[in-house]
Amino acid sequence: MKELYFDHSASTPPYEEVIQTMAEVMRLHYANPSSIHAGGSEAAKLIERSRNLVAKQLGTSRGRWIFTSGGTESNNLAIKGAAKQYRSRGNHIITTAIEHASVMEVMKQLETEGFRVTYLPVLPTGHVAVDAVRDALTEDTILVSIMHVNNEIGTIQPIEEIGRLLSGYPHILFHTDAVQSLGKVKLDPDGWGIDLVSGSAHKLRGPRGAGYLYVGERALLTPLAQGGEQEAGLRPGTENVPAIVASAKAVRMSIEAMEERQRRHCELKKQLNEFIAASDKLSLNGAEPAAPHIIHFSYPGMKPEVMIHMLEERGILASTKSACSSKEDKPSKVLLAIGKDAAHASSGIRISLGDEHTSEDIVRLTEALDELAKELATLERRRGR
């Protein structure tokens, strides 16, 4: 039986061309990019070509893309780097209550260092209100960090509108965690007034251990590590040339396929959402606007691990929430933030779509979910619930 992988928000299978490119660069371009001989110069040129390719594909011309080890490092460098650089201006940062752990944990650490962080609530739909951002601004605000697409329920935040709001506050930087949106939904950093954008290659069919950070022309960052002048002095250390070149190719291929992918995913999401909406056991979480590749639902009162393992027995791989926190036996912070009760927040399942999925795959998934619901209902009756 064919295995169905519905966990693309955790990690994606790399393009075959990306694998080939990475292997070729490893084999042919092993020189250190900082070396002044011909081999080093060629490796350095590959990095700059990759940087220019990413900038071209993502429509940025007023800043610079920095290559990192992934989304977590990009978020850390963006937020900590900005906070430390602009501390003389103020110590206030604004974010939301539904950010990824790589943002939330950074905020908690900054609070121990004397920064004041406002965690904005979200609406029951899973979206932050632009007015809430406006009301939270103070004279001491130096940074606003709000994710583009929520990694758990897929809601798309009003980043363009928030950028328009912040354009009237030239001393406040705007960062967005775009790990779940790069190559999947429209993002216009320059046009939307975003100063810092974080991304991760393995979320868009690139290699693991490679990430992106867009640093706009007016943003200055304090490096988090010292030891060299690589990546504009923001990320010292010998560059991972094979991963950088392969990650740039992944961006190009993802952007080129984005429009068609969105169309197909919207159809598949509609098909799955209609099944969930008709179920008397399952309930959808989040609301539009949302990314087409993420569907999240709950089976109130049932442990999600039970459902995940029952799906796996049927050759279907899914997840409960963010891969970084999926092993925590706690209610989802995101679901609690949108007003779900503990039963709903402790029983969430995330389905995230990829390029390979078809309508027939969704039919197989819905049939499996229907079987699960019946089996679990039988268990509940036996337990007298």
Side-chain angles (χ1 to χ4, degrees):
M1 180 172 55
K2 169 189 170 186
E3 182 178 86
L4 296 180
Y5 180 76
F6 284 112
D7 199 16
H8 283 252
S9 288
S11 194
T12 58
Y15 290 109
E16 184 60 35
E17 296 90 334
V18 165
I19 296 173
Q20 294 171 1
T21 293
M22 192 160 180
E24 180 180 1
V25 175
M26 288 181 71
R27 184 171 60 253
L28 300 178
H29 301 283
Y30 44 81
N32 191 315
S34 296
S35 296
I36 61 174
H37 52 62
S41 296
E42 186 58 34
K45 288 177 183 177
L46 286 175
I47 294 175
E48 291 313 306
R49 288 174 194 160
S50 299
R51 201 185 315 278
N52 292 335
L53 177 60
V54 172
K56 179 181 178 182
Q57 292 297 321
L58 296 172
T60 53
S61 60
R62 299 202 295 267
R64 180 181 180 87
W65 285 92
I66 302 299
F67 293 110
T68 69
S69 65
T72 294
E73 183 187 352
S74 293
N75 282 336
N76 271 260
L77 179 55
I79 298 169
K80 292 180 184 177
K84 295 177 185 299
Q85 180 69 33
Y86 295 103
R87 188 163 195 167
S88 61
R89 289 185 183 174
N91 69 341
H92 182 229
I93 302 171
I94 298 171
T95 189
T96 78
I98 62 169
E99 299 296 312
H100 186 269
S102 61
V103 170
M104 297 296 276
E105 294 303 317
V106 169
M107 297 298 178
K108 291 178 182 177
Q109 180 181 338
L110 289 175
E111 285 182 304
T112 68
E113 298 175 13
F115 288 90
R116 186 167 60 87
V117 181
T118 296
Y119 300 91
L120 296 176
V122 292
L123 302 169
T125 60
H127 302 96
V128 66
V130 178
D131 286 346
V133 178
R134 178 186 292 107
D135 293 343
L137 297 173
T138 74
E139 293 182 355
D140 291 327
T141 305
I142 55 175
L143 175 68
V144 174
S145 177
I146 297 177
M147 69 190 339
H148 190 198
V149 170
N150 183 264
N151 53 290
E152 192 167 330
I153 59 177
T155 46
I156 298 177
Q157 300 302 336
I159 296 301
E160 182 177 4
E161 291 83 354
I162 294 171
R164 190 179 304 124
L165 164 67
L166 294 177
S167 66
Y169 299 84
H171 297 300
I172 300 175
L173 292 186
F174 185 24
H175 166 251
T176 189
D177 172 357
V179 166
Q180 291 295 342
S181 64
L182 281 185
K184 297 178 181 179
V185 299
K186 180 181 178 181
L187 177 66
D188 183 4
D190 287 352
W192 295 356
I194 309 172
D195 299 294
L196 300 159
V197 178
S198 303
S200 181
H202 79 105
K203 306 292 188 177
L204 42 80
R205 303 194 64 183
R208 288 190 181 93
Y212 323 90
L213 176 62
Y214 176 67
V215 182
E217 61 182 351
R218 74 188 189 104
L220 296 177
L221 301 178
T222 296
L224 303 186
Q226 286 69 46
E229 294 302 315
Q230 294 90 345
E231 294 303 291
L234 292 177
R235 189 176 188 268
T238 302
E239 301 94 334
N240 187 344
V241 182
I244 288 172
V245 176
S247 65
K249 172 163 279 192
V251 167
R252 178 180 65 78
M253 295 183 71
S254 292
I255 293 294
E256 290 175 350
M258 186 170 72
E259 187 174 337
E260 172 60 20
R261 181 190 302 114
Q262 285 181 321
R263 184 192 64 78
R264 288 188 298 101
H265 283 178
C266 283
E267 293 176 356
L268 298 178
K269 183 175 184 178
K270 179 181 178 182
Q271 182 181 349
L272 180 54
N273 279 351
E274 288 177 349
F275 165 81
I276 296 170
S279 171
D280 61 353
K281 291 293 185 181
L282 309 179
S283 61
L284 284 166
N285 298 312
E288 297 296 327
H293 65 289
I294 298 176
I295 303 98
H296 198 277
F297 59 91
S298 294
Y299 187 126
M302 189 58 59
K303 287 191 174 183
E305 295 83 1
V306 173
M307 293 188 68
I308 292 298
H309 292 313
M310 292 177 74
L311 284 172
E312 188 171 7
E313 290 172 355
R314 291 164 171 80
I316 298 172
L317 304 183
S319 62
T320 57
K321 45 189 174 181
S322 165
C324 294
S325 57
S326 61
K327 294 181 180 179
E328 294 180 358
D329 187 20
K330 298 178 181 178
S332 162
K333 295 178 182 178
V334 174
L335 297 186
L336 291 175
I338 64 175
K340 299 294 183 180
D341 59 27
H344 281 79
S346 301
S347 60
I349 299 293
R350 182 182 68 183
I351 301 295
S352 44
L353 304 172
D355 291 341
E356 75 273 21
H357 293 130
T358 65
S359 177
E360 289 74 22
D361 294 333
I362 300 299
V363 169
R364 182 174 151 195
L365 173 61
T366 57
E367 290 175 347
L369 289 172
D370 193 43
E371 291 176 7
L372 262 61
K374 291 175 180 176
E375 288 184 25
L376 293 171
T378 300
L379 287 175
E380 287 180 296
R381 286 195 296 271
R382 289 176 179 172
R383 294 171 180 171
R385 294 177 58 180

